[in-house]
Amino acid sequence: MITTRIRNILHHVAVAALLVWGIGALPAQAEDIPSAVPQTWQMLDYLATDYAGAVKDGAVISTSEYAEMREFTATARSRIAALPPTVATPALLQQADTLVASVEAKATPAQVATQAHALADALLQAYPVPTAPERAPDLARGATLYQNQCAACHGATGHGDGPAGLLLSPRPVNFTDQTRADQRSALSLYEVISQGVAGTPMASYAQQLSSDDRWALAYYVGSLAYAKEAVAGADTWQHDTAARAQIADLKELSRARVAQLTPTLGAERARTIVGYLRAHPDVIQQQALAGIPLARARLAASLTAYRAGAKTQATQLALSAYLDGVEPVEPQLNARDSALRAQLETSMGAYRSALSGNTPVESVVKQADAIDGLLVRAQEVTADAASDAAAIFLGAFTILVREGLEALLVVVALLAFLRKAARPEALRYVHAGWILALVAGGITWAIASYAISISGAGRELTEGLSSLFAAFVLLGVGLWMHQKSIGGRWQAYLKEKMAAALNRRSAWFLFGLAFISVYREVFESILFYAALWNDGQEVWLLSGIAAGAAVLGLIAWVLLRTSRRLPIGTFFSASSALIAVLAIVLTGKGIAALQEAGWVAVSVAPVPHIELLGIYPTWQSLLAQLAILVLLAVGFVFNIRRGRQRLPSPPTTREVLPDAD
């Protein structure tokens, strides 16, 4: 199964590639992120926990605490604004402004805590940084560290009554206070240990303790408030599917808070699960749900949360059901039953849209029941797929042919154009683009296991944004080629003008288009192959890849050979039509990827699902494709009318390939 580590490195490598062409989802100045983001996150987390000590019932109960809360919100807002911009920056700033306004209005602690935690989570999605240990923390080591480093202030049992602590102001935190502990995650405690707390005696231990030691200490401290509940946790973890659906790996455990889980599980069950897992973090790696069982459990948990009125949590659980449960087994589903996979994708997207609205509970229950039935079928289909050599071969073959065909068509069109224009020296830019994309894909695979983990939504965002970017570029290229197919005297025009037509900026544009077109397909293919590779049957997987590569090579040879025989006007007409179709296809795929990431709503449309053509049964993707189609139609009509008005002689202005800007 695709690990969250693999997803993250794919996200980062793809984003780095996209940044070269100005559409990155992460900032270019990545070196500023490691220190600024954790500090800002810690500030927001601290605010969510301590605001209750400053305001109660709309009145200030501690002037100094309230002044600190106002300072924290203003500082957090300014720090977010100072981070390198991303596509998420406007939304982050809007959330920060809302939080500032709530604190100024002396809103309830619950409202401020919810807003602060939501902003903190969004910050980590926009700027991924490590949020979990690489391995299960050693609680015995954590207990020893606590007695040596913390007991003097926080007390031997964590009550904040150590001999040194009694002399401090403010007094050390009482780690056994469940009300406060319910708002803290293990990550919260780790960041406090790492960063310290400004204005208090709590200093940073980043230099004294290793990362593993800090995680061990954070988990131990985080278990002190739930010592009694953790005793009964083993039985609950084993038999409570809804509880197990909440936490699937160390990343989720490290960020889990009792207050976050309470709407779905109730306070007592949430404390039992969190207390048990923090005291026994190794269990999460041994017994966590994965694949379709995880998808079914999170689907049920999202329904429970929706019934409890927690719409945001319900939507997040539903999104995770697909990204973390279904998506990792997509290769097996595609090889065995692609129609079922497409039906699941659409149905789960529509379910998320229903959760986001005011849909009656009865209707949501019907949708969830229908999806669960599809998941049961998917579980049966994928049960023995890992041991089926034919399924592995077919999956590897179809993935490469399906994902590679679009990129191949773009690259072949560029190569054929340059050969028609008698510009062989420019071919190296196109070849460099697609070769570098393949190399980047190999590097992606090679270093994937060393990456930090983020949600699978990062992968979908990267795919969606790159698809839409490529679609808009191809839209311009298609209209330009169509313009050149109008009128005559092509040979004279090329002979006279093309000698000076390809400037350096245009050549780099060719390189960029080739790179983006190929890498976005390599990016997605690697995700699928990583899943199949982890299932074993490596020989059959490599055989499928080799067969797919051979088919793509044959298609490329046929296309290039055919293009040489076409008259120049016919070539431009055919190329413009092909590129126009690709622009429509990529638009559909881009919107679909953003829907899977939860950025775009899903409204089911009565049309068939044809993934090869980028047609998805949702109104959002269809309307986006219709908009591109209208732009193409208007552009083609304009080109035809303009061509009729021109004299049949070569253009007098200098014509160049479309520039990157």
Side-chain angles (χ1 to χ4, degrees):
M1 185 175 69
I2 302 173
T3 65
T4 51
R5 288 186 176 185
I6 287 177
R7 286 181 182 156
N8 185 69
I9 192 59
L10 294 178
H11 176 72
H12 280 293
V13 173
V15 164
L18 296 180
L19 280 169
V20 176
W21 313 114
I23 62 165
L26 287 180
Q29 303 173 15
E31 67 273 10
D32 296 335
I33 294 176
S35 60
V37 172
Q39 291 171 0
T40 307
W41 185 92
Q42 181 196 1
M43 190 174 295
L44 292 169
D45 184 80
Y46 187 81
L47 169 70
T49 304
D50 280 27
Y51 179 80
V55 175
K56 182 178 181 181
D57 298 328
V60 174
I61 57 177
S62 172
T63 303
S64 60
E65 285 285 339
Y66 182 64
E68 185 180 48
M69 297 299 103
R70 294 180 65 194
E71 179 186 357
F72 278 6
T73 53
T75 303
R77 204 273 182 201
S78 62
R79 286 192 173 190
I80 292 172
L83 287 171
T86 75
V87 294
T89 297
L92 290 174
L93 291 176
Q94 183 178 8
Q95 285 182 273
D97 289 338
T98 301
L99 179 61
V100 170
S102 295
V103 172
E104 292 294 331
K106 304 177 184 62
T108 65
Q111 179 180 332
V112 170
T114 298
Q115 292 175 352
H117 283 309
L119 178 55
D121 290 342
L123 181 65
L124 291 183
Q125 289 179 1
Y127 302 90
V129 294
T131 58
E134 295 182 358
R135 62 190 65 86
D138 183 348
L139 268 290
R141 172 66 175 164
T144 301
L145 289 170
Y146 178 83
Q147 294 303 324
N148 293 337
Q149 302 286 344
C150 312
C153 293
H154 292 277
T157 57
H159 285 77
D161 56 358
L166 296 176
L167 305 176
L168 297 176
S169 179
R171 291 278 295 274
V173 169
N174 176 5
F175 291 126
T176 65
D177 179 1
Q178 286 192 337
T179 301
R180 180 183 175 85
D182 287 350
Q183 295 288 345
R184 310 305 302 274
S185 63
L187 175 60
S188 306
L189 299 167
Y190 174 84
E191 291 297 344
V192 169
I193 296 169
S194 301
Q195 307 286 344
V197 180
T200 74
M202 180 63 197
S204 167
Y205 282 80
Q207 300 300 320
Q208 295 94 320
L209 301 177
S210 67
S211 178
D212 286 345
D213 281 350
R214 279 176 276 149
W215 276 115
L217 184 56
Y219 266 76
Y220 174 76
V221 168
S223 68
L224 294 177
Y226 311 113
K228 294 181 179 179
E229 287 82 359
V231 174
D235 184 67
T236 303
W237 175 252
Q238 286 286 345
H239 301 99
D240 193 333
T241 303
R244 293 179 67 185
Q246 305 292 322
I247 304 172
D249 53 36
L250 275 176
K251 175 188 173 183
E252 294 183 350
L253 176 57
S254 296
R255 295 175 61 175
R257 294 175 288 104
V258 169
Q260 171 193 4
L261 303 179
T262 296
T264 304
L265 301 179
E268 183 177 351
R269 288 168 65 200
R271 286 170 176 164
T272 299
I273 287 295
V274 169
Y276 173 69
L277 292 179
R278 285 187 186 172
H280 306 87
D282 55 309
V283 172
I284 197 69
Q285 295 177 315
Q286 300 170 3
Q287 302 176 7
L289 295 173
I292 299 299
L294 175 63
R296 295 186 65 193
R298 294 211 160 161
L299 177 69
S302 74
L303 184 58
T304 301
Y306 188 78
R307 282 171 166 161
K311 291 184 179 180
T312 300
Q313 186 178 2
T315 303
Q316 291 173 345
L317 286 166
L319 182 61
S320 175
Y322 184 83
L323 292 176
D324 301 319
V326 176
E327 191 175 71
V329 299
E330 274 191 355
Q332 296 94 319
L333 275 176
N334 276 324
R336 291 296 192 87
D337 194 338
S338 59
L340 175 58
R341 197 273 306 163
Q343 190 177 0
L344 263 175
E345 181 181 312
T346 303
S347 299
M348 296 185 79
Y351 175 74
R352 293 195 301 271
S353 294
L355 295 178
S356 300
N358 294 317
T359 309
V361 174
E362 295 77 11
S363 177
V364 171
V365 170
K366 290 181 180 179
Q367 286 182 276
D369 288 343
I371 293 172
D372 190 61
L374 295 175
L375 290 173
V376 170
R377 288 173 51 196
Q379 190 167 356
E380 295 171 352
V381 167
T382 59
D384 59 347
S387 60
D388 190 334
I392 296 296
F393 176 87
L394 182 60
F397 175 81
T398 55
I399 286 168
L400 186 59
V401 173
R402 184 188 69 214
E403 303 298 334
L405 185 59
E406 294 164 11
L408 175 68
L409 292 176
V410 174
V411 172
V412 166
L414 295 176
L415 294 175
F417 166 72
L418 292 173
R419 287 178 175 175
K420 282 287 184 181
R423 297 304 305 269
E425 75 280 4
L427 294 175
R428 66 178 184 269
Y429 289 94
V430 178
H431 287 308
W434 70 261
I435 291 173
L436 183 59
L438 294 180
V439 172
I443 295 174
T444 297
W445 186 299
I447 66 176
S449 60
Y450 300 102
I452 56 177
S453 58
I454 61 169
S455 169
R459 165 248 173 123
E460 299 299 340
L461 289 178
T462 301
E463 291 179 10
L465 293 174
S466 62
S467 293
L468 293 177
F469 174 75
F472 286 127
V473 172
L474 290 176
L475 174 65
V477 173
L479 292 174
W480 180 82
M481 281 191 164
H482 180 261
Q483 182 187 31
K484 296 297 166 278
S485 69
I486 307 299
R489 299 186 65 182
W490 275 104
Q491 298 296 343
Y493 166 69
L494 289 176
K495 183 177 180 180
E496 178 182 352
K497 294 296 182 183
M498 283 306 294
L502 188 64
N503 59 27
R504 182 175 297 273
R505 187 168 54 177
S506 299
W508 281 108
F509 166 81
L510 293 176
F511 169 85
L513 181 57
F515 182 90
I516 289 293
S517 298
V518 174
Y519 190 82
R520 68 168 298 278
E521 305 298 346
V522 173
F523 173 68
E524 186 169 7
S525 298
I526 286 176
L527 291 169
F528 290 136
Y529 287 141
L532 294 176
W533 186 276
N534 287 346
D535 283 331
Q537 303 285 358
E538 290 84 357
V539 173
W540 290 103
L541 174 65
L542 294 175
S543 299
I545 294 175
V551 169
L552 290 177
L554 178 61
I555 293 174
W557 179 80
V558 170
L559 290 175
L560 287 172
R561 189 175 182 85
T562 302
S563 65
R564 292 176 182 175
R565 301 176 180 178
L566 291 176
I568 189 67
T570 304
F571 168 78
F572 270 93
S573 296
S575 297
S576 63
L578 171 63
I579 289 178
V581 170
L582 287 176
I584 295 173
V585 170
L586 289 176
T587 298
K589 289 193 171 185
I591 296 299
L594 295 182
Q595 287 176 320
E596 290 185 23
W599 274 37
V600 177
V602 177
S603 301
V604 179
V607 298
H609 183 282
I610 310 176
E611 190 163 0
L612 184 63
L613 299 179
I615 297 176
Y616 296 83
T618 70
W619 285 113
Q620 289 81 4
S621 61
L622 291 174
L623 290 175
Q625 289 178 309
L626 178 61
I628 296 296
L629 183 60
V630 169
L631 289 175
L632 286 167
V634 171
F636 282 7
V637 170
F638 175 80
N639 286 340
I640 293 172
R641 290 183 176 178
R642 186 180 180 186
R644 289 174 179 173
Q645 295 172 357
R646 286 182 173 180
L647 294 174
S649 60
T652 57
T653 58
R654 184 182 181 191
E655 295 284 352
V656 296
L657 290 171
D659 292 326
D661 56 352

